[in-house]
Amino acid sequence: MKTIDELLAGGVSGKRVFVRADLNVPLDDGTITDDGRIRAVLPTVKALADAGAKVVVASHLGRPKGAPDPAFSLAPAASRLGELLGSAVAFATDTVGQSAQDTVAGLADGQVAVLENLRFNPGETAKDDTERGAFADRLAALADVYVGDGFGAVHRKHASVYDLPARLPHYAGHLIATEVGVLKKLTEDVKRPYVVALGGAKVSDKLAVIDELLAKADRLLIGGGMAYTFLKAKGHEVGISLLQEDQIPAVTEYMERAEKSGVELVLPVDVLVSPEFPDLKTKAPANPTTVDSDKIPADQEGLDIGPKTRELYASKLADAATVFWNGPMGVFEHPDYAEGTKAVAQALVDSNGFTVVGGGDSAAAVRTLGFDENAFGHISTGGGASLEYLEGKTLPGLAALED
């Protein structure tokens, strides 16, 4: 795929450049709680603006129902982008309507505009190719060139991600070029030992990537809510912990495959339990109990890995030459259940290997828990996209950028 460097070398002054970014940031009553995805696209937007382009930034945010919804407006993201750029950013109150047309027409060379949430238009996510294509046509009318830089959305076959690049000269932005380069280090000529730490709530979300990693990784460390399905598959009582009983046969098969192929699959040896889920709003003390992972009481819920497991996982990560981590080890949003996730993050910081934090909740945890982002080899902006790449799937947004 051609990159933004080639576009800049050919000159962009006066051209309208459509940048498909990922500004899907978490909001709390309209306030951005983590601006990592906005900062990630900054190098691309700034390079284009500095080169004299008229930059039209577009993104989705959340899951509105194909119609305007103030709760999902990109206005806060546009404001934050302007703060980071150090210059005013124009904001269109629609996607392809009169406001978008007037806002883009009013741009001077080097100025930046943000369109309203693309998912306010049903054509963005339509399953019907014709409907999606019609929306892409209207977006294409706003630009001369397309730059794909929303890595967190490249696994979606959406109008702005998949159909629009076919209608304009297209290039990969700095972020996508970096993300793809990193993922190749996790799939091609991997430096070993290669250790993968997987957490998060549902094991069903990770089965496909586990299937692929059983042929690539040297060790798999399992935590988070998904660990309890593995523990149940081993015959342990898991109480009222998160459990996907229908996935036990698949999990059992994967554990057997790991043993046969020499992949070390490591499960928690102790966990923090409580009879109730913690209050994440007030952060009231939860007073959890630590128990061995095969002794979870029937009326208790596992909510984090315990101290022995933290030490075990840190030791399993210590000699890694390559590490990929996706998914928290527990309910990190509450201080009483954050230590497991913090321990894994610290092990990556202490590692001498190439460390990749796989986006989503893992990236949010790193920032929430106060880690220096520069202490990691790479923090991805796309959890789902990263996992699908590692699964070996063709990602529509990357395929669309190929020539």
Side-chain angles (χ1 to χ4, degrees):
M1 65 179 69
K2 291 185 289 189
T3 69
I4 187 175
D5 291 331
E6 295 171 77
L7 172 61
L8 291 168
V12 293
S13 182
K15 291 183 179 178
R16 299 170 302 163
V17 180
F18 187 104
V19 177
R20 201 333 179 159
D22 179 9
L23 308 181
N24 186 26
V25 292
L27 296 172
D28 184 5
D29 291 329
T31 300
I32 297 170
T33 58
D34 180 358
D35 67 356
R37 283 176 169 162
I38 301 175
R39 288 185 285 112
V41 77
L42 202 62
T44 289
V45 173
K46 191 173 188 311
L48 290 167
D50 288 349
K54 300 174 181 179
V55 187
V56 182
V57 181
S59 175
H60 71 287
L61 191 150
R63 296 178 182 273
K65 306 298 184 183
D69 183 339
F72 297 105
S73 175
L74 276 173
S79 177
R80 181 58 180 150
L81 178 61
E83 291 173 0
L84 293 168
L85 286 169
S87 58
V89 167
F91 182 66
T93 57
D94 57 27
T95 56
V96 290
Q98 198 61 53
S99 179
Q101 295 169 38
D102 291 346
T103 300
V104 173
L107 288 176
D109 294 358
Q111 289 189 327
V112 179
V114 173
L115 304 181
E116 185 54 284
N117 192 337
L118 291 167
R119 290 186 182 174
F120 285 0
N121 190 305
E124 170 68 0
T125 59
K127 300 294 184 186
D128 181 77
D129 291 350
T130 302
E131 184 181 354
R132 221 175 45 246
F135 182 51
D137 286 338
R138 297 184 71 187
L139 289 172
L142 299 172
D144 305 304
V145 182
Y146 177 93
V147 172
D149 215 30
F151 181 73
V154 294
H155 58 316
R156 306 296 186 193
K157 193 175 182 180
H158 291 169
S160 66
V161 176
Y162 179 74
D163 302 273
L164 183 55
R167 290 157 166 79
L168 295 169
H170 47 269
Y171 301 81
H174 290 309
L175 176 61
I176 279 188
T178 299
E179 293 273 14
V180 171
V182 166
L183 288 167
K184 285 183 176 179
K185 289 185 180 181
L186 299 178
T187 53
E188 303 171 12
D189 300 321
V190 181
K191 292 184 178 178
R192 300 186 180 278
Y194 179 19
V195 184
V196 177
L198 295 176
K202 295 182 178 180
V203 69
S204 56
D205 293 340
K206 303 292 197 303
L207 284 180
V209 76
I210 292 172
D211 185 36
E212 192 71 19
L213 288 169
L214 284 173
K216 290 187 171 72
D218 298 298
R219 284 181 212 130
L220 290 176
L221 314 181
I222 306 295
M226 62 184 283
Y228 301 101
T229 302
F230 280 87
L231 293 172
K232 185 71 171 180
K234 288 177 69 70
H236 300 329
E237 170 65 59
V238 298
I240 57 172
S241 305
L242 187 62
L243 174 65
Q244 290 186 284
E245 203 143 7
D246 61 323
Q247 302 298 331
I248 288 176
V251 163
T252 301
E253 180 198 339
Y254 287 172
M255 289 192 292
E256 292 171 353
R257 275 178 53 197
E259 187 173 0
K260 287 178 184 176
S261 59
V263 175
E264 191 178 1
L265 197 154
V266 189
L267 299 177
V269 294
D270 63 342
V271 297
L272 270 60
V273 299
S274 172
E276 57 187 10
F277 198 82
D279 189 327
L280 300 183
K281 282 283 187 184
T282 66
K283 304 290 199 300
N287 302 315
T289 303
T290 302
V291 299
D292 289 345
S293 59
D294 60 351
K295 294 182 174 61
I296 298 175
D299 63 345
Q300 303 274 309
E301 179 177 11
L303 295 165
D304 194 14
I305 58 174
K308 288 188 287 188
T309 305
R310 292 174 221 149
E311 289 185 16
L312 173 65
Y313 284 13
S315 71
K316 297 295 183 182
L317 289 161
D319 68 340
T322 304
V323 180
F324 175 71
W325 168 38
N326 179 276
M329 295 291 108
V331 187
F332 73 92
E333 299 92 341
H334 192 286
D336 287 352
Y337 301 106
E339 293 303 316
T341 301
K342 190 182 295 184
V344 169
Q346 187 62 53
L348 266 68
V349 170
D350 295 339
S351 171
N352 292 320
F354 178 60
T355 58
V356 179
V357 180
D361 285 342
S362 310
V366 163
R367 299 183 185 105
T368 300
L369 298 174
F371 285 91
D372 179 0
E373 294 181 42
N374 295 320
F376 302 89
H378 180 69
I379 298 178
S380 179
T381 56
S386 295
L387 288 177
E388 290 198 15
Y389 189 101
L390 293 179
E391 290 167 20
K393 290 184 177 179
T394 297
L395 306 187
L398 295 185
L401 294 175
E402 299 286 352
D403 290 315

